[in-house]
Structure formats: C-alpha cells, structure tokens
Amino acid sequence: MFPQNQWIKIKAPATVANMVCGFDILGFAVNNPYDEMEMRWMPRVNNEPSITIINIDDYNLPTDPEKNVAGAALLALIEEYEERINNNNTAHSLETKQQSVSAIKFEVKINKLIKPGSGVGSSAASSAGAVVGANHLLGNIFSKDDLVRFAMNGEKLASGVKHADNIAPCIFGGVTLVRSIFPLEIIALPSPQLYVTIVHPQIEVRTADARSILRQQVLLKDAIKQWGNIAGLVAGLMKSDYELIGRSLEDVIIEPVRSILIPGFDALKLACKQAGALGGGISGSGPSIFMLSKTKEIAVAVEKEMKQLYDGMGLPHHTYVTTINQAGVEIAA
Ligand code: ADP
C-alpha cells in the first residue's frame, strides 16, 4: 500500500461519449480539459466517516460523500475492499493481505476544471479519478473493470442510470467500446492520431430533457444504417482509415432528435465539415459539440468556424483544440 497520510496528485481527463453513431457505447478521453484531484488514505477509527471531500473550486458541489459522485464511487470501492480484507478468500496476494488495513478512510481534494453539466464527462472525471486514486493508494488491487464498476455508481448519482461510456475512456484512456454493461465488457480500441475540437456553448441542456425527447422505437432501415456506421467507425479506427472514419461519423437515430436542443447545430456542423473536419456531433447529452480532424491545422480552422458562428449568434462559449488522451486518469506522487 502507499504510505498513509501522504497525498497523491491525480489528473482526470474530460471525455466525449455518445461518439456520433456510437450512442451509449463509444467514447474517448481528451488531453484538455481535465480535473485535478489530491487524495490520501489513513486507517479509519471507530465509526468516523470513511470519506472526506474538500472542494477547492467555485462550483459548490456537495461535500456529502453520498451526494458527490466521487464519494458515491469511493463508497462502492471501500465496501468491496473491506469485504475482501475481511474475507479469507480474498483475491489478492498474502503479502498484500498482511499489509492491508481492515477499515480505511480517504480524504479527497477536488479542483474541477471541467465545468459540471458541460457534456464532456465532468461527473465521470470525478468518479473515475477518485477510484483510480484510491486503487493506487491501496496497491492496485483492483482491475480496471472493477474500477469502472465502482465509478458507475457516481454516474448513477449524476444521471439516474449506471452507464460507462464516459467512465470507460476516462479509466482506460483512448477510444473505448462498452459492448455490455451487465456483465461489464469494455474493449479498448486503437486509433490513429486524431485532433479534437470542442465547443461548449454556455447554455444548459438538462440530461433528463435530452433523454426524455428520444424516441423509443427506431425504423429498421435506420437501425441498419446505424449498424453499418458503427462497424465502419470501429473498422476505420482499427485500420487508421481516416476516410472511412469520416464517412461513418453519421448518426441517423439520436442526433436528428437531440440537435434541436443546441442552437445553430446544423449550421455549425456544416461549416466545420467544410473547413475539413472528418465529422463529429453532440458530446454526451450536450450542449458541447465535438469535431474530429486529421491535422492540427484543420482542427484550428474548425475552432475558428465554431467561434465565428457562436460570436455571430451572440452566444458565449468556450472552445478547446486537443488530442485523444491515451493514458486515462494519471497519478503523480
Ligand atoms: P457531465 O456530462 O458534465 O458530467 P452531468 O449532468 O452528467 O454532466 O453531471 C453533472 C451532475 O452531477 C451535476 O448535477 C452535478 O451537480 C452532479 N455532481 C455531483 N458531484 C459531482 C462532481 N464531483 N463532479 C461533477 N458533477 C457532480
């Protein structure tokens, strides 16, 4: 185990989920923005709380562990940790067992640089950052799949459902496919160098609204088109075939319905593609929009189009030009 009372620093990346045709299943991590966290552990005495959360940003997120996604994710991890330690059939080695402490407490400092509700995985960064940090402190006894399971409790708190499309890329890095949630099956996909341009218009799209307007039925012809695009996108990523990636970045089911919640969506997408973007769409449930490009020059030209359009509409916004983050959550002692 990591020495008690010593702080570690954690960098938890933003993530883009609902990767166009890959609604709920495909996502990727980006190098900017990211949250900063610090964590340390100590033995827990008697009935003192097992988690203390200290917010060092201005978002006023709850510090009650049951109401902060980092806390919800950590509570699931602690429960399984203590179960393992108290159980003779623990999955980890005798050496680890001898060093372990039966009741544990974590202190977590969170500095949010990813605005909550922006659609680029702010909640996932806190949940994933907390469990990856805790696992490091405990001597890496849990697998990445375990960590995704724990962190999904944070997503359940934020959105009402356990989903892993932001958590998986945040923990694994790169592009990930969530083939199944129950049982959990995550596949890390290779990808060629891709530049990512993100625009976050400063409007609020409630995740609940974005979900409630979705149609519950799809036409078979649309489903077939979507399957073709998902398979094409995965094949394009694996073969580093930029043209195939571009052709497959098309969503005929979700985007036509959801995009009405985002001002100027169609015009923005058209302008970005004319500037050379391979394609893109709504990030998460919005309001952020992302575009993928083959070169940095194109990604910067795409950013210019985004700014021009929203400046013209008088809509305040933030933009990022970044790349796919291959490392996922990172720890610096
Ligand atoms: P995003 O896609 O940016 O994560 P969500 O709407 O999915 O946005 O999640 C943000 C929600 O989760 C907000 O209601 C926020 O108050 C709540 N929340 C609780 N704890 C945290 C946290 N540590 N980080 C971010 N959001 C949190």
Side-chain angles (χ1 to χ4, degrees), residues 29-69:
V30 292
N31 281 309
N32 194 34
Y34 55 85
D35 278 357
E36 294 170 341
M37 300 168 79
E38 286 184 50
M39 269 180 94
R40 63 175 177 173
W41 79 273
M42 59 211 69
R44 174 157 57 93
V45 259
N46 303 325
N47 283 331
E48 69 171 334
S50 55
I51 300 165
T52 306
I53 293 175
I54 305 150
N55 290 319
I56 47 176
D57 51 55
D58 296 330
Y59 290 116
N60 267 325
L61 290 168
T63 51
D64 176 350
E66 293 191 11
K67 297 197 175 120
N68 189 302
V69 299

Short mmCIF file of all heavy atoms in Angstrom, two decimals, residues 29-69:
data_model
loop_
_atom_site.label_atom_id
_atom_site.label_comp_id
_atom_site.label_asym_id
_atom_site.label_seq_id
_atom_site.Cartn_x
_atom_site.Cartn_y
_atom_site.Cartn_z
N ALA A 29 -11.24 9.71 -24.45
CA ALA A 29 -10.71 10.70 -23.50
C ALA A 29 -9.92 11.75 -24.26
O ALA A 29 -9.36 11.45 -25.33
CB ALA A 29 -9.82 9.98 -22.49
N VAL A 30 -9.89 12.97 -23.74
CA VAL A 30 -9.12 14.05 -24.39
C VAL A 30 -8.06 14.60 -23.42
O VAL A 30 -8.17 14.42 -22.20
CB VAL A 30 -10.04 15.20 -24.88
CG1 VAL A 30 -10.92 14.73 -26.02
CG2 VAL A 30 -10.89 15.77 -23.75
N ASN A 31 -7.06 15.26 -23.99
CA ASN A 31 -5.97 15.77 -23.14
C ASN A 31 -6.32 17.09 -22.45
O ASN A 31 -5.67 17.47 -21.48
CB ASN A 31 -4.70 15.90 -23.97
CG ASN A 31 -4.04 14.54 -24.13
OD1 ASN A 31 -3.83 13.82 -23.14
ND2 ASN A 31 -3.76 14.15 -25.36
N ASN A 32 -7.33 17.78 -22.92
CA ASN A 32 -7.73 19.04 -22.31
C ASN A 32 -9.23 19.24 -22.54
O ASN A 32 -9.69 19.00 -23.66
CB ASN A 32 -6.93 20.19 -22.96
CG ASN A 32 -7.04 21.46 -22.18
OD1 ASN A 32 -7.12 21.45 -20.95
ND2 ASN A 32 -7.07 22.58 -22.87
N PRO A 33 -10.01 19.62 -21.54
CA PRO A 33 -9.66 19.94 -20.16
C PRO A 33 -9.53 18.68 -19.30
O PRO A 33 -9.84 17.58 -19.74
CB PRO A 33 -10.85 20.79 -19.70
CG PRO A 33 -12.01 20.28 -20.48
CD PRO A 33 -11.47 19.85 -21.80
N TYR A 34 -9.08 18.87 -18.06
CA TYR A 34 -9.01 17.77 -17.09
C TYR A 34 -9.21 18.33 -15.68
O TYR A 34 -9.02 19.53 -15.45
CB TYR A 34 -7.67 17.03 -17.19
CG TYR A 34 -6.47 17.94 -17.05
CD1 TYR A 34 -5.97 18.29 -15.80
CD2 TYR A 34 -5.85 18.46 -18.18
CE1 TYR A 34 -4.88 19.15 -15.69
CE2 TYR A 34 -4.77 19.32 -18.08
CZ TYR A 34 -4.29 19.66 -16.83
OH TYR A 34 -3.23 20.51 -16.72
N ASP A 35 -9.66 17.45 -14.79
CA ASP A 35 -9.80 17.82 -13.37
C ASP A 35 -8.53 17.50 -12.62
O ASP A 35 -7.83 16.53 -12.97
CB ASP A 35 -10.94 17.03 -12.72
CG ASP A 35 -12.31 17.63 -12.99
OD1 ASP A 35 -12.38 18.69 -13.63
OD2 ASP A 35 -13.30 17.03 -12.54
N GLU A 36 -8.24 18.27 -11.59
CA GLU A 36 -7.11 17.95 -10.70
C GLU A 36 -7.68 17.48 -9.36
O GLU A 36 -8.64 18.08 -8.86
CB GLU A 36 -6.25 19.20 -10.47
CG GLU A 36 -5.56 19.67 -11.73
CD GLU A 36 -4.91 21.03 -11.56
OE1 GLU A 36 -5.28 21.77 -10.61
OE2 GLU A 36 -4.05 21.36 -12.37
N MET A 37 -7.08 16.45 -8.82
CA MET A 37 -7.52 15.96 -7.51
C MET A 37 -6.29 15.61 -6.68
O MET A 37 -5.21 15.39 -7.22
CB MET A 37 -8.38 14.69 -7.66
CG MET A 37 -9.63 14.91 -8.49
SD MET A 37 -10.44 13.37 -8.95
CE MET A 37 -11.30 12.95 -7.46
N GLU A 38 -6.49 15.55 -5.37
CA GLU A 38 -5.46 15.02 -4.47
C GLU A 38 -6.14 14.06 -3.52
O GLU A 38 -7.29 14.27 -3.15
CB GLU A 38 -4.79 16.16 -3.68
CG GLU A 38 -3.84 16.98 -4.52
CD GLU A 38 -3.11 18.03 -3.69
OE1 GLU A 38 -2.55 17.67 -2.62
OE2 GLU A 38 -3.14 19.19 -4.10
N MET A 39 -5.41 13.01 -3.16
CA MET A 39 -6.01 12.02 -2.26
C MET A 39 -4.97 11.47 -1.29
O MET A 39 -3.80 11.39 -1.62
CB MET A 39 -6.54 10.83 -3.06
CG MET A 39 -7.97 10.96 -3.49
SD MET A 39 -8.48 9.51 -4.41
CE MET A 39 -9.20 8.52 -3.12
N ARG A 40 -5.43 11.10 -0.11
CA ARG A 40 -4.58 10.33 0.81
C ARG A 40 -5.47 9.38 1.60
O ARG A 40 -6.69 9.54 1.64
CB ARG A 40 -3.80 11.25 1.74
CG ARG A 40 -4.65 12.09 2.66
CD ARG A 40 -3.77 12.87 3.62
NE ARG A 40 -4.58 13.73 4.45
CZ ARG A 40 -4.11 14.44 5.46
NH1 ARG A 40 -2.82 14.38 5.76
NH2 ARG A 40 -4.91 15.20 6.18
N TRP A 41 -4.84 8.38 2.19
CA TRP A 41 -5.61 7.43 2.98
C TRP A 41 -5.06 7.37 4.40
O TRP A 41 -3.92 7.76 4.66
CB TRP A 41 -5.59 6.03 2.35
CG TRP A 41 -4.32 5.25 2.60
CD1 TRP A 41 -3.19 5.31 1.85
CD2 TRP A 41 -4.05 4.34 3.66
NE1 TRP A 41 -2.23 4.49 2.36
CE2 TRP A 41 -2.73 3.87 3.49
CE3 TRP A 41 -4.80 3.85 4.75
CZ2 TRP A 41 -2.14 2.95 4.35
CZ3 TRP A 41 -4.20 2.93 5.61
CH2 TRP A 41 -2.89 2.50 5.42
N MET A 42 -5.88 6.90 5.31
CA MET A 42 -5.46 6.63 6.69
C MET A 42 -6.40 5.57 7.27
O MET A 42 -7.50 5.38 6.73
CB MET A 42 -5.51 7.92 7.52
CG MET A 42 -6.85 8.58 7.57
SD MET A 42 -6.74 10.36 7.73
CE MET A 42 -6.09 10.83 6.16
N PRO A 43 -5.97 4.87 8.30
CA PRO A 43 -6.88 3.89 8.89
C PRO A 43 -8.10 4.60 9.49
O PRO A 43 -7.97 5.72 9.97
CB PRO A 43 -6.04 3.23 10.01
CG PRO A 43 -4.63 3.60 9.70
CD PRO A 43 -4.67 4.89 8.98
N ARG A 44 -9.24 3.97 9.41
CA ARG A 44 -10.47 4.58 9.95
C ARG A 44 -10.70 4.05 11.36
O ARG A 44 -10.61 2.85 11.60
CB ARG A 44 -11.65 4.22 9.05
CG ARG A 44 -12.99 4.68 9.58
CD ARG A 44 -13.98 4.80 8.44
NE ARG A 44 -14.15 3.56 7.70
CZ ARG A 44 -15.08 2.65 7.97
NH1 ARG A 44 -15.92 2.83 8.98
NH2 ARG A 44 -15.17 1.56 7.25
N VAL A 45 -10.92 4.98 12.26
CA VAL A 45 -11.16 4.54 13.64
C VAL A 45 -12.65 4.64 13.99
O VAL A 45 -13.32 5.60 13.63
CB VAL A 45 -10.34 5.37 14.68
CG1 VAL A 45 -9.12 4.60 15.16
CG2 VAL A 45 -9.94 6.71 14.14
N ASN A 46 -13.10 3.63 14.70
CA ASN A 46 -14.50 3.54 15.13
C ASN A 46 -15.47 3.85 13.99
O ASN A 46 -15.32 3.33 12.92
CB ASN A 46 -14.75 4.45 16.34
CG ASN A 46 -13.81 4.08 17.48
OD1 ASN A 46 -13.49 2.91 17.66
ND2 ASN A 46 -13.34 5.07 18.21
N ASN A 47 -16.40 4.76 14.25
CA ASN A 47 -17.42 5.00 13.22
C ASN A 47 -17.22 6.31 12.48
O ASN A 47 -18.18 6.87 11.97
CB ASN A 47 -18.81 4.97 13.86
CG ASN A 47 -19.23 3.54 14.12
OD1 ASN A 47 -18.80 2.62 13.41
ND2 ASN A 47 -20.02 3.34 15.15
N GLU A 48 -15.98 6.78 12.46
CA GLU A 48 -15.78 8.06 11.75
C GLU A 48 -16.06 7.84 10.25
O GLU A 48 -15.95 6.74 9.74
CB GLU A 48 -14.39 8.62 12.01
CG GLU A 48 -13.27 7.84 11.39
CD GLU A 48 -11.93 8.57 11.52
OE1 GLU A 48 -11.92 9.79 11.62
OE2 GLU A 48 -10.90 7.88 11.50
N PRO A 49 -16.45 8.93 9.54
CA PRO A 49 -16.78 8.78 8.12
C PRO A 49 -15.61 8.23 7.32
O PRO A 49 -14.45 8.53 7.63
CB PRO A 49 -17.12 10.20 7.67
CG PRO A 49 -17.11 11.05 8.88
CD PRO A 49 -16.51 10.30 10.00
N SER A 50 -15.91 7.44 6.30
CA SER A 50 -14.83 6.83 5.51
C SER A 50 -14.34 7.75 4.40
O SER A 50 -13.34 7.47 3.76
CB SER A 50 -15.29 5.50 4.94
OG SER A 50 -16.47 5.68 4.20
N ILE A 51 -15.05 8.86 4.16
CA ILE A 51 -14.64 9.76 3.06
C ILE A 51 -14.82 11.22 3.49
O ILE A 51 -15.86 11.59 4.03
CB ILE A 51 -15.51 9.52 1.80
CG1 ILE A 51 -15.35 8.08 1.30
CG2 ILE A 51 -15.15 10.51 0.69
CD1 ILE A 51 -16.42 7.66 0.32
N THR A 52 -13.79 12.02 3.25
CA THR A 52 -13.93 13.47 3.43
C THR A 52 -13.65 14.12 2.09
O THR A 52 -12.62 13.84 1.47
CB THR A 52 -12.90 14.00 4.47
OG1 THR A 52 -13.06 13.24 5.65
CG2 THR A 52 -13.11 15.47 4.77
N ILE A 53 -14.57 14.97 1.63
CA ILE A 53 -14.39 15.64 0.34
C ILE A 53 -14.17 17.13 0.57
O ILE A 53 -14.92 17.77 1.31
CB ILE A 53 -15.60 15.41 -0.58
CG1 ILE A 53 -15.66 13.93 -0.98
CG2 ILE A 53 -15.52 16.28 -1.84
CD1 ILE A 53 -16.87 13.53 -1.77
N ILE A 54 -13.11 17.65 -0.03
CA ILE A 54 -12.81 19.08 0.08
C ILE A 54 -12.83 19.66 -1.34
O ILE A 54 -12.02 19.25 -2.19
CB ILE A 54 -11.42 19.29 0.73
CG1 ILE A 54 -11.37 18.56 2.08
CG2 ILE A 54 -11.09 20.77 0.89
CD1 ILE A 54 -9.99 18.08 2.46
N ASN A 55 -13.76 20.56 -1.61
CA ASN A 55 -13.81 21.20 -2.94
C ASN A 55 -12.92 22.42 -2.94
O ASN A 55 -13.06 23.28 -2.07
CB ASN A 55 -15.25 21.61 -3.28
CG ASN A 55 -16.13 20.41 -3.53
OD1 ASN A 55 -15.72 19.44 -4.18
ND2 ASN A 55 -17.35 20.45 -3.02
N ILE A 56 -12.01 22.49 -3.93
CA ILE A 56 -11.18 23.69 -3.99
C ILE A 56 -11.45 24.48 -5.27
O ILE A 56 -10.60 25.17 -5.79
CB ILE A 56 -9.68 23.38 -3.79
CG1 ILE A 56 -9.25 22.19 -4.66
CG2 ILE A 56 -9.36 23.08 -2.35
CD1 ILE A 56 -7.76 21.92 -4.57
N ASP A 57 -12.69 24.35 -5.77
CA ASP A 57 -13.11 25.17 -6.91
C ASP A 57 -14.34 25.96 -6.49
O ASP A 57 -14.72 25.93 -5.32
CB ASP A 57 -13.41 24.28 -8.13
CG ASP A 57 -14.35 23.15 -7.75
OD1 ASP A 57 -15.43 23.44 -7.21
OD2 ASP A 57 -14.02 21.97 -7.96
N ASP A 58 -14.97 26.66 -7.44
CA ASP A 58 -16.10 27.52 -7.08
C ASP A 58 -17.45 26.94 -7.49
O ASP A 58 -18.44 27.67 -7.59
CB ASP A 58 -15.94 28.90 -7.75
CG ASP A 58 -14.73 29.63 -7.23
OD1 ASP A 58 -14.38 29.39 -6.05
OD2 ASP A 58 -14.12 30.40 -8.01
N TYR A 59 -17.52 25.64 -7.77
CA TYR A 59 -18.77 25.09 -8.28
C TYR A 59 -19.77 24.70 -7.18
O TYR A 59 -20.90 24.32 -7.49
CB TYR A 59 -18.51 23.88 -9.20
CG TYR A 59 -17.87 24.28 -10.49
CD1 TYR A 59 -16.60 23.85 -10.83
CD2 TYR A 59 -18.54 25.12 -11.38
CE1 TYR A 59 -16.01 24.23 -12.02
CE2 TYR A 59 -17.95 25.51 -12.57
CZ TYR A 59 -16.69 25.06 -12.88
OH TYR A 59 -16.10 25.45 -14.05
N ASN A 60 -19.32 24.78 -5.93
CA ASN A 60 -20.24 24.49 -4.83
C ASN A 60 -20.89 23.12 -4.91
O ASN A 60 -22.08 22.98 -4.59
CB ASN A 60 -21.37 25.53 -4.80
CG ASN A 60 -20.99 26.65 -3.86
OD1 ASN A 60 -20.34 26.39 -2.83
ND2 ASN A 60 -21.36 27.87 -4.20
N LEU A 61 -20.15 22.13 -5.38
CA LEU A 61 -20.71 20.78 -5.45
C LEU A 61 -20.79 20.22 -4.03
O LEU A 61 -20.08 20.67 -3.13
CB LEU A 61 -19.81 19.89 -6.33
CG LEU A 61 -19.85 20.25 -7.81
CD1 LEU A 61 -18.74 19.55 -8.57
CD2 LEU A 61 -21.21 19.91 -8.42
N PRO A 62 -21.67 19.26 -3.79
CA PRO A 62 -21.84 18.75 -2.44
C PRO A 62 -20.56 18.12 -1.88
O PRO A 62 -19.78 17.52 -2.64
CB PRO A 62 -22.92 17.68 -2.58
CG PRO A 62 -23.37 17.69 -3.99
CD PRO A 62 -22.54 18.62 -4.77
N THR A 63 -20.35 18.23 -0.57
CA THR A 63 -19.21 17.55 0.05
C THR A 63 -19.67 16.28 0.76
O THR A 63 -18.84 15.47 1.18
CB THR A 63 -18.49 18.48 1.07
OG1 THR A 63 -19.47 19.00 1.95
CG2 THR A 63 -17.75 19.60 0.39
N ASP A 64 -20.99 16.11 0.89
CA ASP A 64 -21.51 14.86 1.45
C ASP A 64 -21.17 13.74 0.46
O ASP A 64 -21.57 13.79 -0.70
CB ASP A 64 -23.04 15.01 1.59
CG ASP A 64 -23.71 13.72 2.06
OD1 ASP A 64 -23.02 12.67 2.10
OD2 ASP A 64 -24.91 13.77 2.37
N PRO A 65 -20.39 12.72 0.93
CA PRO A 65 -19.93 11.66 0.01
C PRO A 65 -21.08 10.98 -0.73
O PRO A 65 -20.90 10.52 -1.86
CB PRO A 65 -19.23 10.66 0.92
CG PRO A 65 -18.97 11.38 2.18
CD PRO A 65 -19.92 12.52 2.29
N GLU A 66 -22.26 10.95 -0.15
CA GLU A 66 -23.36 10.27 -0.85
C GLU A 66 -23.97 11.15 -1.93
O GLU A 66 -24.76 10.69 -2.75
CB GLU A 66 -24.43 9.86 0.16
CG GLU A 66 -23.89 8.78 1.07
CD GLU A 66 -24.94 8.11 1.91
OE1 GLU A 66 -26.13 8.33 1.65
OE2 GLU A 66 -24.55 7.40 2.85
N LYS A 67 -23.61 12.43 -1.92
CA LYS A 67 -24.19 13.35 -2.93
C LYS A 67 -23.18 13.82 -3.95
O LYS A 67 -23.54 14.44 -4.95
CB LYS A 67 -24.81 14.55 -2.22
CG LYS A 67 -25.97 14.14 -1.32
CD LYS A 67 -26.84 15.31 -0.95
CE LYS A 67 -28.03 14.83 -0.15
NZ LYS A 67 -28.09 15.43 1.18
N ASN A 68 -21.89 13.55 -3.69
CA ASN A 68 -20.86 13.90 -4.67
C ASN A 68 -20.48 12.61 -5.40
O ASN A 68 -20.28 11.57 -4.76
CB ASN A 68 -19.63 14.49 -3.95
CG ASN A 68 -18.62 15.06 -4.91
OD1 ASN A 68 -18.11 14.37 -5.78
ND2 ASN A 68 -18.32 16.34 -4.75
N VAL A 69 -20.37 12.67 -6.72
CA VAL A 69 -20.12 11.45 -7.50
C VAL A 69 -18.81 10.76 -7.10
O VAL A 69 -18.72 9.53 -7.13
CB VAL A 69 -20.17 11.72 -9.02
CG1 VAL A 69 -21.54 12.22 -9.45
CG2 VAL A 69 -19.09 12.68 -9.46
#
